[in-house]
Amino acid sequence: MGAKILDGKLIADELRAKVATEALSLSAKLGRRPGLAAVLVGEDPASHAYVKSKQKATNEAGMVSFEHRLPENTSEKDLLALIAKLNADNAVDGILVQLPLPKQIDTARVIEAVDPAKDVDGFHPMNAGKLSTGLPSLVPGTPLGCIIMAKKAHASLAGLDAVVVGRSNIVGKPLAQLLIAESATVTIAHSKTKDLKEACRRADLLCVAIGKPEFVKADWVKPGATVIDVGINRVPGADGKNKLVGDVAYEEVSKVAGWITPVPGGVGRITVACLLVNTLRAAAARGGLAVPNL
Ligand code: NDP
């Protein structure tokens, strides 16, 4: 029997509907709509597309979207000045700086310049530290989305053998922290892991975020396991046009796994919804109100 599909669109739509309801009630309490500022530096087409979809989702959820598009040659000083302005702007609850940034700008410095209370991407070291010490924090959207997906397949993640392949600051590490918080037994694998296939085969819950097209094969997966594929890779399709594939060889793995996320239509869909959840949380917390539990 083939794996059941974790439908990212369906789950994201449910979440976005909840966010819209909460945003309405929060707007009434705050006397203004929660606001998300997106900062985009340069002309990268993929980044422009991501920012556009985030803005559309923000408006559809009943929040205000502020847009700041800066030229490719923007200096770090000018970008930091804009962030300082957004930090001080009461109408702005969340700030997202679309990555990657041009090479003249120090990404770490920019991330640290964002007010942690408005850090809806959850990348600020203060939020990363809070996550790792179990304190409430703004958590990066993609790992949060992975947990939401995994919980659709498992009533509880406690005691599961979870393997996270990839240890980046934006996906692998925070995902591992979230899984620890869910009481899973967590292994983090990466490019130096000795026997990656064997590590993956131990997983009840296998999460892959490496950026390598269709890297994880069927014989790497324990029969019945839940597979969460974070990867987004553009590869040439049979028709000569580019198509999106994940880090998991979907066709073959879906014959072995119990549950699987497709690419496209999987984790990527939830990431944007989680950004909205974070904006709502940031707005509530800044207004001294209870943070909605969605
Ligand atoms: P990074 O490049 O920052 O990190 C990749 C990680 O994968 C590293 O830890 C690296 O190990 C590990 N890795 C690379 N090659 C291998 C290998 N052959 N075997 C084992 N581990 C390997 O990537 P990101 O975490 O930013 O993104 C990962 C993927 O997820 C990408 O495809 C990206 O497009 C996608 N993504 C999707 C999002 C979504 O919304 N769905 C959001 C963010 C990312 P090491 O540390 O040893 O170098």
Side-chain angles (χ1 to χ4, degrees):
M1 205 178 78
K4 289 186 216 147
I5 293 170
L6 290 161
D7 183 339
K9 182 179 180 319
L10 201 72
I11 300 168
D13 285 350
E14 275 172 23
L15 191 54
R16 283 166 59 165
K18 283 188 201 163
V19 169
T21 307
E22 286 291 340
L24 199 63
S25 107
L26 190 59
S27 300
K29 289 177 196 152
L30 293 174
R32 63 174 180 85
R33 288 188 290 156
L36 173 64
V39 180
L40 178 56
V41 187
E43 299 304 328
D44 178 50
S47 293
H48 274 262
Y50 286 137
V51 167
K52 209 169 153 199
S53 76
K54 287 170 186 175
Q55 286 175 322
K56 185 166 172 277
T58 306
N59 292 324
E60 283 171 3
M63 305 193 217
V64 189
S65 156
F66 306 100
E67 183 188 311
H68 297 271
R69 287 174 194 258
L70 305 178
E72 180 79 28
N73 62 357
T74 299
S75 68
E76 185 179 298
K77 188 167 163 251
D78 286 351
L79 179 56
L80 292 175
L82 172 61
I83 289 172
K85 214 170 115 199
L86 297 173
N87 284 342
D89 186 343
N90 192 45
V92 173
D93 297 292
I95 301 169
L96 84 85
V97 181
Q98 185 65 38
L99 303 181
L101 291 167
K103 57 182 180 324
Q104 73 276 13
I105 297 174
D106 181 340
T107 302
R109 198 170 290 159
V110 170
I111 289 171
E112 284 184 42
V114 174
D115 178 348
K118 298 188 177 188
D119 171 38
V120 284
D121 268 333
F123 295 162
H124 193 288
M126 186 177 288
N127 282 318
K130 283 184 173 176
L131 175 62
S132 70
T133 50
L135 292 170
S137 62
L138 289 166
V139 175
T142 301
L144 198 55
C146 294
I147 297 291
I148 292 171
M149 292 288 228
K151 284 185 164 176
K152 295 286 175 189
H154 302 266
S156 164
L157 307 184
L160 292 185
D161 278 322
V163 175
V164 179
V165 190
R167 55 173 165 176
S168 71
N169 288 339
I170 66 169
V171 188
K173 280 185 207 153
L175 177 54
Q177 296 292 355
L178 287 170
L179 287 165
I180 291 169
E182 294 288 338
S183 298
T185 303
V186 182
T187 301
I188 306 173
H190 46 74
S191 68
K192 306 289 186 294
T193 296
K194 264 193 289 187
D195 190 344
L196 187 58
K197 175 176 167 181
E198 209 36 54
C200 290
R201 272 191 72 86
R202 285 203 303 270
D204 303 310
L205 173 61
L206 177 61
C207 305
V208 190
I210 58 177
K212 296 271 182 291
E214 302 183 315
F215 194 76
V216 171
K217 309 294 185 202
D219 62 347
W220 295 35
V221 175
K222 185 202 273 191
T226 297
V227 178
I228 309 280
D229 187 356
V230 182
I232 299 177
N233 308 287
R234 280 182 178 77
V235 297
D239 58 1
K241 291 186 191 151
N242 275 355
K243 61 170 187 169
L244 289 186
V245 298
D247 290 341
V248 172
Y250 182 83
E251 287 304 324
E252 56 179 271
V253 171
S254 58
K255 294 191 176 87
V256 178
W259 293 87
I260 191 164
T261 62
V263 178
V267 177
R269 289 284 193 149
I270 321 261
T271 298
V272 176
C274 289
L275 178 72
L276 302 179
V277 170
N278 278 349
T279 306
L280 203 60
R281 285 192 177 143
R286 290 185 62 247
L289 297 165
V291 177
N293 195 9
L294 295 173

